[in-house]
């Protein structure tokens, strides 16, 4: 039985701006580069808040080439979204939150553990996107010290 530690948390609605990625989730990296370029080029990098990966489709029912996700950041609702980005609302929900510590390259196997924990403990998953919230800055944090919250809405 897989038993990753997790907590339940009430998540508020989050207003985001993001760059769409279509294809395997583990290939979203270049979309984060485009997100940074769009924010920097518009002079709005300082307006952005926490950065997230937002994952819209179910791996079990969607072909890898058709998976949709966003490289996104919290972004003020009263500011125009820079060119090349879309406004996204991450709805309020009760969520299961798991903490990954270490390099981003370990996230795919961590997600496998999250999925197994949910299955093995019959955690009632709801509808809506799943996400990764990046808690520290990969440009100033050693890979082994990176912290990422993985969130899934609960039913």
């Amino acid at each position: 039985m897989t038993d990753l530690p997790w907590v339940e948390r009430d998540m508020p609605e989050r207003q985001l701006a993001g760059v769409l990625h279509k294809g395997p989730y583990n290939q979203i990296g270049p979309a984060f580069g485009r997100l940074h370029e769009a924010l920097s080029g518009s002079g709005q990098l300082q307006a952005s808040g926490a950065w997230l990966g937002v994952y819209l489709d179910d791996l079990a029912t969607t072909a890898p080439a058709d998976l949709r996700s966003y490289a996104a950041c919290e972004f003020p609702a009263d500011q125009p979204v820079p060119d090349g980005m879309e406004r996204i609302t991450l709805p309020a929900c009760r969520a299961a939150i798991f903490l990954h510590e270490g390099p981003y390259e370990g996230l795919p196997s961590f997600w496998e553990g999250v999925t197994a924990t949910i299955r093995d403990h019959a955690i009632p998953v709801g509808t809506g996107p799943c996400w990764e919230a990046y808690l520290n800055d990969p440009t100033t944090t050693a890979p082994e010290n990176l912290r990422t919250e993985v969130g899934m809405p609960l039913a």
Side-chain angles (χ1 to χ4, degrees):
M1 178 177 278
T2 304
D3 196 19
L4 290 178
W6 63 285
V7 296
E8 284 188 42
R9 187 182 304 153
D10 287 320
M11 301 299 296
E13 178 180 278
R14 294 169 105 170
Q15 293 298 315
L16 310 174
V19 173
L20 180 65
H21 167 73
K22 190 168 180 185
Y25 287 154
N26 65 353
Q27 294 175 11
I28 194 173
F32 281 101
R34 292 192 305 277
L35 175 66
H36 187 271
E37 289 171 12
L39 289 167
S40 295
S42 67
Q44 292 179 299
L45 185 58
Q46 297 299 337
S48 68
W51 286 43
L52 299 93
V54 179
Y55 305 97
L56 304 177
D57 298 307
D58 184 345
L59 291 169
T61 60
T62 307
D66 295 328
L67 292 170
R68 298 166 301 136
S69 56
Y70 283 96
C73 63
E74 292 180 336
F75 198 78
D78 62 348
Q79 291 193 20
V81 174
D83 289 343
M85 298 175 66
E86 298 177 40
R87 171 90 44 206
I88 308 154
T89 299
L90 197 56
C93 68
R94 183 95 177 136
I97 305 292
F98 297 80
L99 180 63
H100 174 265
E101 296 180 295
Y104 295 148
E105 291 79 13
L107 282 166
S109 62
F110 187 77
W111 272 101
E112 290 175 12
V114 167
T115 302
T117 298
I118 286 169
R119 179 194 64 235
D120 293 350
H121 293 276
I123 298 169
V125 176
T127 59
C130 299
W131 65 89
E132 295 170 354
Y134 309 106
L135 303 180
N136 43 18
D137 183 347
T139 66
T140 60
T141 305
E144 63 273 12
N145 295 326
L146 291 171
R147 300 175 70 228
T148 307
E149 283 187 345
V150 169
M152 298 187 84
L154 295 172

